[in-house]
Each structure stands twice: as C-alpha cells, then as structure tokens.
Amino acid sequence: SYVLTQPPSVSVAPGQTARISCAGNSIGSKSVFWYQQRSGQAPVLVVSDDSDRPSGIPERLSGSKSGITATLTISRVEAGDEADYYCQVWDTSRDHVVFGGGTKLTVL
Amino acid sequence: QVHLQESGPGLVKPSETLSLTCNVSGESISSTSYHWGWIRQPPGKGLDWIGSIFYTGSTHYNPSLKSRVTISVDTSKNQFSLKLTSVTAADTAVYYCARDLYHSVHPAAFHIWGQGTMVTVSS
C-alpha cells in the first residue's frame, strides 16, 4: 500500500522557520494536504492541493512539493504553532485516503 | 456554519460492534455533493482513515478495515453512521467524522471536523 513518510519530530526556536517533510513515491502526481492538530483538539486543514491555504490560515504556513517530497513550511514560528502535523493524499491506485505518520513540532 | 457532532457508546466489549453516528447541522447532506468521512486516532498515535460516503450512498473504505466496516447515510435525519464489527482493543481510539473539502467523484481531504468521540474497547 501507499506510504507517506514524515520525520517523527522537528524542533525550532521561536521566530525561526520550521520545515516538515512528507515523502512518497509518485507524490508529484498527487495532491497533498496538510493538517495541524494541537493537543486535545481535532485536526485542522492548513494546506490543500500542495500549496493552497484554506480561508483563515495565516500566510506563515505554506506548502510546496519537489521530487518525491512535499514540505510544509512554517515561517516566524510561534509558541502556538506547537502541534502535530500530518500530510495526506488520495491514493488512486487503491482508491483510499493515506495519512503520513505525523510530525510533532516542538517550539523551543 | 456547518457543524458535525459524533455520538455513540464510549465503551464497547471485545467482539461486539462499534456503532457511531455523525449528526450534521447547518447544511443538508442530500443537497450538497460532498463526501462524508470517518477517521480515527488511537491514543498517542496518528490519524487513520476508516472510510467515506457520498450523499448518494456510494462508499470508499480503507482496505485494511473493509471487511469489518459499514458506513451509511440517512438523508432524512441529516446524519451518517459507522459500524465496525468484531472489535478488539486495537480499535480503541478517538473517532472523528468529517466533511470533504471538495465536490468530487472521490474523497479528497477533510475540511470540517467533528470534535471527536473516544471509544474504548474493553470487557
């Protein structure tokens, strides 16, 4: 089955830039979505179709894709950005949704 | 504003059937062309898609759960439901219902989520 690989954790100091990767075969042909999940809360969609932002999501959060890797970039990181982040695609070969394992972002 | 709310038993015995309902308010399931999905999250672990249903009743299921899952829709009550049979402790999780982002022929992404409901499988 299709696999999306994320680093378990990323740490960054306030004001710096955090980059969270999501690797998968043929990811270039798929739309990638990113979710933010703060502790004890439901996930929130923060990036759609690789790089679009749903209404209400700050411009500091952005998505990109190159080769077999999609990346969520969070600029000027704030304490409130501390959360788990998940990437997700629709796998057309097996007709199912696939989530990455998640990355815990720690703000130092 | 669209609101989703999960409901159902918080405790299910092993080998029995887990049944949850997602009540949708602020939007009619039957008048919109969205997929409606179920996602779960075991304690301390990541997100796991269970399946999605279109307002017509067409379904997509996670292949790993397909033999045990049924998702149905009741447009008259504006709700959709999940049944998971033969549960074990591994099915203990927070269960979320969610609405898709797009009007599409297949599920794409989850834009609007319920708050989630914890289901524990234990005797």
Side-chain angles (χ1 to χ4, degrees):
Chain A
S1 61
Y2 192 76
V3 176
L4 292 172
T5 301
Q6 298 182 237
S9 62
V10 168
S11 298
V12 64
Q16 299 304 302
T17 298
R19 294 180 179 85
I20 298 172
S21 62
C22 172
N25 288 334
S26 304
I27 201 171
S29 63
K30 304 179 191 304
S31 290
V32 181
F33 302 86
W34 289 93
Y35 301 85
Q36 176 192 69
Q37 186 180 32
R38 295 189 173 105
S39 180
Q41 298 184 17
V44 174
L45 181 68
V46 294
V47 170
S48 61
D49 289 305
D50 303 338
S51 58
D52 293 337
R53 270 184 307 276
S55 175
I57 303 302
E59 291 184 8
R60 298 186 301 106
L61 279 69
S62 63
S64 61
K65 198 167 63 178
S66 178
I68 66 165
T69 303
T71 301
L72 174 68
T73 300
I74 307 173
S75 304
R76 302 182 299 283
V77 166
E78 304 170 354
D81 297 325
E82 189 161 281
D84 294 322
Y85 291 84
Y86 297 89
C87 58
Q88 177 249 305
V89 301
W90 170 257
D91 178 18
T92 53
S93 66
R94 297 189 72 191
D95 277 354
H96 72 127
V97 170
V98 178
F99 284 100
T103 298
K104 181 175 182 59
L105 175 66
T106 299
V107 181
L108 300 171
Chain B
Q1 188 173 359
V2 183
H3 181 72
L4 282 70
Q5 179 69 58
E6 304 89 351
S7 62
L11 181 64
V12 181
K13 290 182 169 54
S15 80
E16 296 190 344
T17 297
L18 180 159
S19 296
L20 295 174
T21 295
C22 181
N23 189 68
V24 179
S25 59
E27 185 173 76
S28 170
I29 288 179
S30 61
S31 64
T32 61
S33 302
Y34 288 114
H35 282 84
W36 304 84
W38 289 98
I39 303 100
R40 68 181 183 177
Q41 185 171 34
K45 295 188 178 180
L47 301 172
D48 185 27
W49 175 70
I50 300 170
S52 296
I53 190 164
F54 199 47
Y55 75 104
T56 58
S58 172
T59 53
H60 292 83
Y61 295 134
N62 187 326
S64 68
L65 296 170
K66 189 173 183 177
S67 63
R68 299 195 292 131
V69 172
T70 301
I71 296 175
S72 58
V73 64
D74 187 337
T75 54
S76 67
K77 295 181 179 179
N78 214 40
Q79 62 187 202
F80 60 105
S81 299
L82 167 69
K83 290 189 186 299
L84 181 65
T85 62
S86 304
V87 297
T88 69
D91 296 309
T92 294
V94 174
Y95 285 75
Y96 295 99
C97 60
R99 196 204 77 181
D100 209 286
L101 175 63
Y102 296 127
H103 305 278
S104 176
V105 296
H106 62 72
F110 305 102
H111 188 205
I112 300 174
W113 295 66
Q115 65 183 24
T117 186
M118 181 68 198
V119 179
T120 301
V121 177
S122 175
S123 55

